Amino acid sequence: MPHRIYTDLPPSPFTMSEAMVYHAPIEETERGSGRRDAERAAVARLVAEAFGEDAELGHDIHGAPYIAGRRDVYISVSHCRGLAVLAVSRRGRIGIDVEEENMRLERIAGRFLSPEEQLRWGGSIPSLAYAWTAKEAAFKALGIPDVVITEIAVGDSEVTARGFSAGLIHHSFGPLHITLSSTHIPQ
């Protein structure tokens, strides 16, 4: 039975700016290693859908994913409860994040938002979900070593950190938020 957050999603893949976004359900499992195995299996299905059955997913020394032998594409992976997403671009570094609206974001807002950002984004769960996914996606896209999430400043369509900037594309599908960040800076 599909998780309720899938109902508003367009068919996989769909376009966000110049990136293709693939998504797949994560089989509901118990917490722990079974859940991690289910997440890895969903990502493996997405990689096979996007690049073929023989494609190999690797991770660089910083943990960023890549497709072995494919220097012509940039990818990013994310997952939340019940859903995995894969973004693919040929233009430059990208990051993607997916999150379902939840009350936990109110409890941890002080850990990822500056005081000014709390005033701007802290007014509702949907705006907190946007700020969270924007920071997570930008963290991946920017690839700045040792950057802390509170250093990433979120705007309506752009993020900045340590003098670098990245664009943002955000979509809400019911309570599900997906944000793509792109730098157009080759790796």
Side-chain angles (χ1 to χ4, degrees):
M1 180 165 146
H3 190 281
R4 68 181 174 82
I5 62 176
Y6 301 157
T7 58
D8 292 338
L9 278 172
S12 178
F14 64 92
T15 304
M16 286 182 77
S17 186
E18 73 280 346
M20 294 302 295
V21 177
Y22 298 79
H23 61 84
I26 297 173
E27 303 292 327
E28 296 288 334
T29 62
E30 292 184 27
R31 294 184 180 270
S33 64
R35 183 171 148 215
R36 296 282 182 235
D37 290 342
E39 290 166 352
R40 280 192 281 279
V43 170
R45 288 193 312 271
L46 294 173
V47 167
E49 180 183 351
F51 298 101
E53 293 293 327
D54 294 334
E56 292 183 40
L57 179 67
H59 292 84
D60 69 17
I61 61 170
H62 303 290
Y66 65 89
I67 302 300
R70 295 293 307 266
R71 295 189 179 270
D72 62 324
V73 296
Y74 304 91
I75 68 166
S76 184
V77 174
S78 184
H79 50 75
C80 66
R81 187 171 50 107
L83 184 70
V85 295
L86 167 72
V88 179
S89 174
R90 296 188 187 286
R91 302 258 329 238
R93 289 183 61 98
I94 59 172
I96 195 161
D97 194 56
V98 60
E99 185 67 50
E100 186 176 5
E101 292 174 7
N102 63 69
M103 300 299 286
R104 174 185 62 90
L105 294 171
E106 282 185 326
R107 290 192 308 273
I108 66 168
R111 295 182 196 160
F112 70 93
L113 296 175
S114 68
E116 296 80 22
E117 288 176 321
Q118 287 183 48
L119 291 173
R120 182 171 186 187
W121 304 112
S124 69
I125 298 297
S127 65
L128 285 168
Y130 166 73
W132 174 265
T133 60
K135 285 184 178 239
E136 288 287 315
F139 179 84
K140 296 171 185 179
L142 291 169
I144 301 170
D146 303 320
V147 73
V148 182
I149 200 159
T150 53
E151 290 180 81
I152 300 170
V154 176
D156 291 324
S157 62
E158 184 179 68
V159 292
T160 57
R162 295 188 185 174
F164 295 96
S165 65
L168 293 174
I169 302 291
H170 176 81
H171 289 298
S172 297
F173 303 100
L176 184 71
H177 294 258
I178 299 177
T179 302
L180 177 81
S181 181
S182 58
T183 62
H184 303 296
I185 301 169
Q187 295 188 52

